[in-house]
Amino acid sequence: MEQIEIGGQSYTIGRLNAFDQMHVSRKLSPLVPTLVPVIAELAQGGLSKALEAIDDEELDDVEAMLSQFDLKNLNGLSAALKPLTEAWSQMSEDDVDFIMIKCLSVCARNGAKVCVNKTLMFDDLEMSHMLALVLAVVRSNMGNFIQGLLTKASTFQKQSE
């Protein structure tokens, strides 16, 4: 089990059973082809270096530190994000709820489940916290599968160009 900290709270990321992994990955599969251009843009643009540097700097010096990076290379990021955001917005509410509930149901905070019977157990959870937890569950439980899909999608994209 993985331990992560989000919003000042410590969470344990548990395991989805094989059926839940299959169904969550099935619901996420329309997003996979749209991730390839986003990942490619992020890799080229130096955003990860800038974000790492922010983590290493004092908050007062972030603006000065960012001036060292050429973030103009990120202009393609908005174009790359458009298909991802469109695919996300076209997902049904039921599919999004299914993904969120399944993933949050294997997360715990201080030993208590985050989601029980489709109900959040903590009133202070924000959307950003929930999304971070869901991403952690997907990465932990289905990272190899998603990585394989991304590799295949990337190969298919290159062949069609």
Side-chain angles (χ1 to χ4, degrees):
M1 285 200 224
E2 179 183 353
Q3 296 281 337
I4 63 172
E5 187 171 316
I6 299 171
Q9 298 287 338
S10 181
Y11 293 90
T12 303
I13 306 301
R15 298 285 302 156
L16 290 168
N17 69 47
F19 284 109
D20 287 343
Q21 287 180 23
M22 179 186 63
H23 291 302
V24 168
S25 63
R26 184 173 60 90
K27 302 280 187 189
L28 287 172
S29 64
L31 298 178
V32 172
T34 65
L35 288 172
V36 174
V38 173
I39 291 169
E41 277 298 322
L42 289 173
Q44 290 176 12
L47 180 62
S48 60
K49 290 178 187 173
L51 292 175
E52 285 174 17
I54 289 172
D55 285 343
D56 295 338
E57 291 288 326
E58 292 296 318
L59 212 46
D60 296 338
D61 298 335
V62 170
E63 194 171 314
M65 184 276 311
L66 280 177
S67 67
Q68 301 173 36
F69 293 96
D70 182 13
L71 297 179
K72 292 176 188 160
N73 291 334
L74 294 179
N75 291 339
L77 185 58
S78 62
L81 281 171
K82 187 176 180 187
L84 176 63
T85 57
E86 286 176 357
W88 176 254
S89 69
Q90 291 173 5
M91 288 179 71
S92 73
E93 186 174 332
D94 288 341
D95 285 350
V96 173
D97 286 350
F98 177 87
I99 293 165
M100 299 289 286
I101 289 166
K102 285 294 181 187
C103 290
L104 292 173
S105 69
V106 298
C107 296
R109 179 166 105 183
N110 301 325
K113 292 265 188 191
V114 170
C115 185
V116 177
N117 295 326
K118 300 181 181 181
T119 303
L120 289 176
M121 298 289 103
F122 299 97
D123 290 337
D124 63 341
L125 274 175
E126 297 177 9
M127 182 183 70
S128 61
H129 301 158
M130 291 188 329
L131 290 174
L133 287 168
V134 168
L135 288 173
V137 170
V138 169
R139 183 190 72 245
S140 177
N141 285 265
M142 294 169 280
N144 292 336
F145 176 73
I146 300 288
Q147 185 176 2
L149 287 176
L150 286 171
T151 302
K152 288 180 184 177
S154 176
T155 303
F156 179 74
Q157 185 182 32
K158 287 177 184 173
Q159 290 174 350
S160 66
E161 291 176 348

